[in-house]
Amino acid sequence: MYILAIESSCDDTSAAVLRDGILLSNVTASQAVHEAYGGVVPELASRAHQQNIVPVVDQALKRAGIERTDINAVAFTRGPGLMGSLLVGVSFAKGLARSLSVPMIDVNHLQGHVLAHFIKESEDDNDQPEFPFICLLVSGGNSQIIKVNSYKDMEIIGQTIDDAAGEAIDKCSKVMGLGYPGGPIIDKLARVGNPDAYQFAKPSIAGYDYSFSGLKTSFLYNLRDWMKDDPDFIEHHKEDLAASLEKTIVDILMNKLRKAVKDTGITQVAVAGGVSANNGLRNAFRDHAKRYGWKIFIPKFSYTTDNAAMIGITGYFKYLDNDFAAIDLPAYARMEK
Ligand code: KG4
């Protein structure tokens, strides 16, 4: 049974093919057009998806070694995301499923990120979390602590009340005049900087919720002060700034996660989403595994940022449940569940 999966929620056009839940191909076209603007421009993203979607799907089918007519179901990201971007993938999926007379499966993008931990590249790929587990989902648009009870049952027990972790990193990187997206640039600079060089504001809010807007403001105001004395302060200290910023964000993320693990008593802990590519965060997970006996799950780099493989595996579980989408199903920019 072959599933073709499509992801187009933001600025990556991705297609994947799975055979009986095993990943055969995963092809992603990123959009460099946004770099010049320091952030994703929705209109340009939709246009780039229009250009990329057919070649990306063709390439995914080719790498999987199948024909279009072999496809048994089409899975696609229904939301959340940028509406114009989603519409390209949703409309393409509808057209293709209709023309092939096969069912469609709608997938929640965030659920996809969490279930990326179940992507299997081969039959004997069995290092997967058991239910229930705790998942820290950190991306450009979300920062959540999720109690994952089953493939379908996910409880958000904590989330950001303002900016997401990735958004904070990207904005601080922009303030420093570095490129977009800031995450990978900050990560690289941080590897050679001193994480204890500077202190930035950390939030003190109750429960498992996060906040990153105070940190962002504190980063900006501190930089402004330091630059009064040395206009080239950023250039002179960018490695230390990046390392200190990364440490602050990782500390904020891990503090609440530790609390959630302690309170729930669930010690299987996964990380997902674009920011899970961050080396500082990955190291903090490894450190917690050693120190607190957590069994940790860290995704392969290719499954951290947006990809269709995670949409495919989520679609596969829904397919097994006969959970299909109606042809008139709309895309959703925001989704509660
Ligand atoms: O999950 P994702 O690809 O897109 C969504 O938000 O849905 O996440 C993108 C975010 C961006 O904010 C990007 O800067 C961040 O993930 N990111 C990183 C790294 N790679 C990507 N943040 C920190 N370190 C990285 N290595």
Side-chain angles (χ1 to χ4, degrees):
M1 196 281 290
Y2 292 102
I3 289 183
L4 171 74
I6 291 162
E7 153 67 30
S8 73
S9 64
C10 190
D11 60 341
D12 292 301
T13 319
S14 186
V17 175
L18 286 82
R19 181 178 54 217
D20 298 328
I22 309 289
L23 184 70
L24 298 183
S25 66
N26 181 45
V27 177
T28 304
S30 301
Q31 304 176 358
V33 63
H34 308 288
E35 280 165 20
Y37 300 90
V40 177
V41 184
E43 168 84 21
L44 296 179
S46 324
R47 291 189 205 181
H49 283 306
Q50 290 279 15
Q51 288 173 323
N52 293 341
I53 195 145
V54 171
V56 163
V57 168
D58 283 349
Q59 195 54 236
L61 293 174
K62 195 169 161 202
R63 287 195 200 166
I66 68 164
E67 300 291 328
R68 204 177 321 156
T69 47
D70 294 324
I71 298 169
N72 300 102
V74 182
F76 61 96
T77 305
R78 174 191 189 184
L82 299 172
M83 184 47 92
S85 292
L86 288 165
L87 286 177
V88 177
V90 173
S91 304
F92 183 91
K94 286 184 179 183
L96 183 63
R98 263 283 153 113
S99 71
L100 296 171
S101 297
V102 297
M104 300 186 305
I105 310 159
D106 60 306
V107 172
N108 177 320
H109 179 80
L110 301 178
Q111 247 171 0
H113 270 304
V114 174
L115 296 182
H117 288 283
F118 295 88
I119 295 170
K120 287 177 119 187
E121 293 179 349
S122 66
E123 283 290 354
D124 45 12
D125 188 354
N126 283 320
D127 186 26
Q128 294 161 351
E130 281 165 25
F131 300 112
F133 66 94
I134 298 288
C135 185
L136 174 69
L137 173 57
V138 267
S139 68
N142 294 277
S143 297
Q144 300 179 333
I145 298 179
I146 304 169
K147 182 168 169 258
V148 187
N149 298 316
S150 73
Y151 298 121
K152 287 191 280 191
D153 179 9
M154 300 187 189
E155 243 176 278
I156 299 169
I157 59 173
Q159 60 188 322
T160 181
I161 57 166
D162 41 54
D163 291 350
E167 196 179 350
I169 298 177
D170 291 343
K171 284 184 181 159
C172 290
S173 151
K174 195 171 175 182
V175 166
M176 286 172 71
L178 306 172
Y180 177 85
I185 303 168
I186 295 287
D187 192 346
K188 200 165 163 211
L189 289 171
R191 304 280 65 78
V192 288
N194 173 8
D196 298 313
Y198 307 106
Q199 253 79 52
F200 302 111
K202 285 187 189 168
S204 59
I205 46 172
Y208 310 117
D209 283 344
Y210 288 120
S211 164
F212 291 100
S213 67
L215 163 64
K216 204 178 58 188
T217 312
S218 134
F219 189 81
L220 179 68
Y221 286 3
N222 274 307
L223 267 190
R224 228 166 41 185
D225 289 347
W226 294 327
M227 284 170 74
K228 278 185 199 147
D229 298 330
D230 174 7
D232 295 325
F233 187 86
I234 296 175
E235 187 49 38
H236 292 152
H237 302 282
K238 57 181 190 285
E239 293 84 2
D240 289 349
L241 284 167
S244 303
L245 172 69
E246 182 186 280
K247 179 172 189 283
T248 311
I249 290 179
V250 169
D251 282 353
I252 296 171
L253 290 172
M254 296 311 288
N255 284 347
K256 288 292 170 90
L257 189 62
R258 246 188 343 263
K259 182 173 162 55
V261 169
K262 195 166 162 227
D263 293 351
T264 59
I266 299 170
T267 53
Q268 290 201 79
V269 193
V271 61
V275 182
S276 68
N278 181 266
N279 284 289
L281 184 59
R282 288 173 166 248
N283 289 339
F285 260 72
R286 292 184 194 111
D287 174 60
H288 278 62
K290 265 195 228 132
R291 230 190 302 171
Y292 302 103
W294 294 4
K295 182 156 170 46
I296 54 164
F297 297 89
I298 300 177
K300 273 178 77 166
F301 280 109
S302 46
Y303 306 138
T304 57
T305 44
D306 294 346
N307 65 86
M310 68 186 196
I311 304 304
I313 192 66
T314 310
Y316 176 68
F317 295 132
K318 290 189 83 170
Y319 181 95
L320 295 180
D321 277 347
N322 286 318
D323 188 355
F324 299 113
I327 192 73
D328 60 352
L329 180 119
Y332 282 96
R334 293 177 171 275
M335 285 172 82
E336 285 309 308
K337 267 200 114 199

